[in-house]
Amino acid sequence: MELMSGNEAIAQGAWEAGAHIGVAYPGTPSTETLEEFAKKEGVYAEWSVNEKVAVEVGMGASAAGARVLVTMKHVGVNVAADPLFTAAYTGVGGGVVVLAADDPGMYSSQDEQDSHYYAQAMHIPMLDPADSAEALRFTREAYDLSERFDVPVFVRSSVRLSHTKTPVEPGQRVEVALRPYETNTAKWVMMPAFAKPRRRVQLERIDALTAWAEDCPYNEVLRRKSAVGVVCSGATYQHVADALPEASVFKLGCTYPLPAQALRNFADSVEALYVVEEASEYLTHGVAALGIEVSGFPGSLPRDGELSPGLIRAAFGFQEPAHEATPAGLPGRPPALCPGCPHRLVFKELTRMKAIVTGDIGCYTLGALPPLSGMDTCLDMGASVSMAHGFELALSGTLHRPVVAVIGDSTFAHSGLSSLISTVYNRGAGTVCVLDNRTTAMTGRQGNPFNGETLQKRPSRELDMEGIVRALGVEDVRTVDPNDALAVRRALKEASASEELSVLVFRSPCVLIDRLRKPAYAVTDACTACGVCPTLGCPAIAKDAQTGRSAIDPTLCIGCGQCAQYCAFGAIVQPDAASAKGGVA
């Protein structure tokens, strides 16, 4: 018996099933799954540039006969949707399992979508484990299911399942030989002449899966009292079991396709049937579409965010148990760029020049928050470059603020390059800032094509970012030290004044890579309480509410010296500094 998170259990299940290959783009809450899979014996694992490519690599390996694990977060399913919809036509060679890790509550995501709808739209079966033991079992057995029905299989998790450790019984690996590859144009070439017959194959498969779902071993009815019956799935079941210990529960382990007759039988066995789900109405609508009356809650179940036993009890009209109130006056703990983050000065200067900043997905998105307040938009991976072009088109011929796109190195490889190609092709203008901190920082410092580090530390090739950008036709390409305030200011000023497209590569490693600390800085009596240094948003800098003077926490300061560059009075110095120097503010 071991404690495993849902992510670890899914990796273990894939390994036990004899999966040969794992591919993914990192994204919370799915990231650790492939990292754990990569540590296991007898497997190959890699980070792909994006989720679409990951699925395509996985389908190629499957066609060649290998069992494959593909992992992504829910918004990654959007990116992967193109090949997945068609993979539901072609079917598989070796079994393919796709992890879709949802994020109700949006702990680390820009939206709160429900991947159940993708399974339904794609006609790909979806398994919904409720704990780590089920995550391991469902994943392991999903490979047989994939090969039996000739289709990829979704395993869905949520942030709670992905990161909560519960007991599992790990097993041994079953070595599965590659399935022999034979050319089969009618199966694998999805042009209309072959896709039309495969559509009929898909419809027959849907009927077969629907019949299988009625006796699916992953669905479980827990009989208690008959007054209340609850239909739920995944980690939500754990909350329902805590909140409603006397209710009978239909725990769906397979959420597409739904077991129509089994659900009707369950509804007939209880006096009132309710559907409990997080931030979605997929199950509610699906159950109601079967002709089953779904009761309304006596109270109100939240339509957004992650559920809890307390919220469920409140929806059923139960009073909240007695508990200690949260103490008043607790200080807020908003997220912030790390002390010494190489992105900080870029955002400081963008704010200073009053630029319109189209942002992107990464830890640098925190540059949107006060006091930096240096980002105007954030839509999806790669959108910064495309949206900047859209701003330039709409504002053409007007006197407007500089338009600047900000994107990280990993996101640039993910989908920023295609956006830049489109801008170059259409002779767009503006400024693109690539914040190259030499890693995929937000999800845990994974490798990417522009730092050349692979998941399993295999020999690789670091791509030449500036060379690629120049090859696209961008003439103004510069590499800038983001820790040099004057250099950052000069580069942004010159680029924004140009009528041509400029790409600025701000390159400096994430401070969490080498974790080097220099002597901490301190604020001397020369401080005039001008208030400039706190506007950097560094967690190490505090401001005295009464005097307005700044102070630096030596336990947080890493000695980067960014703040000293902005002190016009030389009041920020290292203890051993021979003399203070004026800053750039």
Side-chain angles (χ1 to χ4, degrees):
M1 184 75 69
E2 294 183 22
L3 286 176
M4 287 188 183
S5 68
N7 284 344
E8 292 169 328
I10 290 167
Q12 178 70 18
W15 179 77
E16 289 182 15
H20 309 88
I21 293 171
V23 280
Y25 181 82
T28 306
S30 71
T31 305
E32 299 87 356
T33 312
L34 201 68
E35 290 179 330
E36 290 300 317
F37 181 79
K39 297 174 184 176
K40 299 185 182 299
E41 293 292 331
V43 303
Y44 173 92
E46 72 175 30
W47 296 126
S48 296
V49 294
N50 60 42
E51 296 85 356
K52 175 181 182 291
V53 171
V55 169
E56 292 161 349
V57 171
M59 289 304 298
S62 169
R67 287 188 163 185
V68 178
L69 174 66
V70 186
T71 70
M72 62 196 71
K73 67 183 294 177
H74 62 294
V75 287
V77 183
N78 301 335
V79 181
D82 189 3
L84 280 172
F85 268 97
T86 306
Y89 276 43
T90 66
V92 301
V96 175
V97 171
V98 179
L99 167 63
D102 287 359
D103 191 11
M106 293 179 283
Y107 291 97
S108 58
S109 306
Q110 69 267 39
D111 66 34
E112 196 176 39
Q113 69 194 47
D114 182 356
S115 295
H116 287 115
Y117 289 105
Y118 270 116
Q120 182 182 53
M122 295 172 180
H123 301 298
I124 290 177
M126 176 169 275
L127 306 184
D128 232 314
D131 56 29
S132 297
E134 287 189 350
L136 192 159
R137 175 192 167 208
F138 289 9
T139 304
R140 182 182 63 225
E141 297 178 8
Y143 286 94
D144 291 332
L145 187 67
S146 175
E147 292 169 359
R148 172 183 170 185
F149 288 101
D150 188 24
V151 66
V153 174
F154 274 122
V155 171
R156 176 185 177 271
S157 75
S158 66
V159 63
R160 193 59 47 197
L161 173 70
S162 288
H163 293 153
T164 300
K165 290 181 180 284
T166 59
V168 301
E169 288 280 3
Q172 298 300 311
R173 178 173 172 84
V174 176
E175 294 296 340
V176 179
L178 290 177
R179 289 186 159 198
Y181 173 73
E182 295 180 2
T183 297
N184 188 344
T185 306
K187 174 176 169 66
W188 291 108
V189 180
M190 286 300 95
M191 56 191 291
F194 300 131
K196 291 177 181 179
R198 289 302 298 183
R199 169 61 171 159
R200 290 191 289 271
V201 170
Q202 183 190 49
L203 292 172
E204 293 171 358
R205 180 197 300 133
I206 292 169
D207 292 341
L209 281 165
T210 302
W212 167 83
E214 291 295 339
D215 299 311
C216 167
Y218 310 123
N219 297 329
E220 185 178 359
V221 175
L222 298 103
R223 295 287 179 190
R224 300 184 181 102
K225 294 184 178 181
S226 61
V228 172
V230 176
V231 176
C232 60
S233 68
T236 300
Y237 164 73
Q238 308 295 348
H239 304 317
V240 169
D242 283 349
L244 307 170
E246 296 184 348
S248 292
V249 178
F250 195 127
K251 180 166 72 74
L252 286 162
C254 176
T255 42
Y256 179 81
L258 293 176
Q261 191 56 49
L263 283 166
R264 293 190 187 104
N265 292 343
F266 177 73
D268 291 340
S269 71
V270 296
E271 297 175 27
L273 182 134
Y274 300 85
V275 177
V276 177
E277 55 188 326
E278 289 180 319
S280 180
E281 294 180 320
Y282 167 78
L283 288 179
T284 302
H285 291 162
V287 172
L290 299 175
I292 298 171
E293 182 180 351
V294 178
S295 300
F297 296 103
S300 177
L301 190 71
R303 296 172 62 190
D304 64 327
E306 190 179 21
L307 290 181
S308 67
L311 291 172
I312 295 171
R313 285 183 60 81
F316 279 86
F318 296 109
Q319 289 187 346
E320 191 173 12
H323 63 281
E324 290 290 332
T326 302
L330 293 177
R333 297 186 64 186
L337 297 174
C338 298
C341 175
H343 304 330
R344 177 168 281 108
L345 302 192
V346 176
F347 283 109
K348 174 63 178 175
E349 291 301 320
L350 288 171
T351 301
R352 186 177 179 277
M353 64 190 287
K354 295 181 173 59
I356 298 171
V357 181
T358 55
D360 227 298
I361 308 295
C363 56
Y364 50 88
T365 315
L366 296 173
L369 301 179
L372 290 170
S373 302
M375 188 178 290
D376 292 86
T377 69
C378 179
L379 189 65
D380 70 317
M381 299 282 277
S384 58
V385 180
S386 308
M387 290 188 71
H389 181 51
F391 267 93
E392 291 283 2
L393 293 176
L395 298 176
S396 177
T398 70
L399 185 63
H400 62 83
R401 293 151 56 193
V403 177
V404 179
V406 173
I407 188 168
D409 49 323
S410 182
T411 308
F412 189 57
H414 179 284
S415 45
L417 270 170
S418 55
S419 296
L420 184 62
I421 290 170
S422 183
T423 300
V424 173
Y425 165 60
N426 288 289
R427 300 191 68 83
T431 303
V432 175
C433 298
V434 184
L435 306 185
D436 182 2
N437 63 359
R438 315 303 296 145
T439 190
T440 311
M442 191 177 196
T443 55
R445 302 182 304 282
Q446 291 79 23
N448 67 66
F450 289 120
N451 73 2
E453 183 176 306
T454 61
L455 177 54
Q456 293 177 309
K457 312 301 181 186
R458 297 179 305 276
S460 178
R461 177 176 289 127
E462 179 181 332
L463 301 188
D464 177 1
M465 183 182 296
E466 291 87 344
I468 290 173
V469 173
R470 290 190 180 94
L472 297 180
V474 181
E475 295 181 0
D476 184 12
V477 183
R478 312 183 210 179
T479 306
V480 185
D481 179 2
N483 298 300
D484 184 335
L486 285 175
V488 172
R489 182 176 298 178
R490 185 182 306 112
L492 288 171
K493 181 179 179 180
E494 293 174 356
S496 61
S498 172
E499 296 183 358
E500 302 297 322
L501 178 65
S502 300
V503 175
L504 306 179
V505 179
F506 292 98
R507 180 172 292 124
S508 182
C510 169
V511 294
L512 297 180
I513 293 178
D514 53 27
R515 298 180 182 270
L516 293 177
R517 297 177 69 100
K518 300 176 183 178
Y521 278 73
V523 179
T524 71
D525 292 338
C527 177
T528 64
C530 69
V532 171
C533 59
T535 64
L536 289 171
C538 178
I541 301 175
K543 181 178 179 180
D544 188 286
Q546 293 183 337
T547 67
R549 296 181 65 176
S550 297
I552 294 177
D553 185 341
T555 64
L556 291 176
C557 178
I558 69 166
C560 68
Q562 292 178 355
C563 56
Q565 297 179 66
Y566 283 86
C567 183
F569 305 97
I572 301 177
V573 299
Q574 285 178 307
D576 57 353
S579 61
K581 295 181 180 180
V584 300

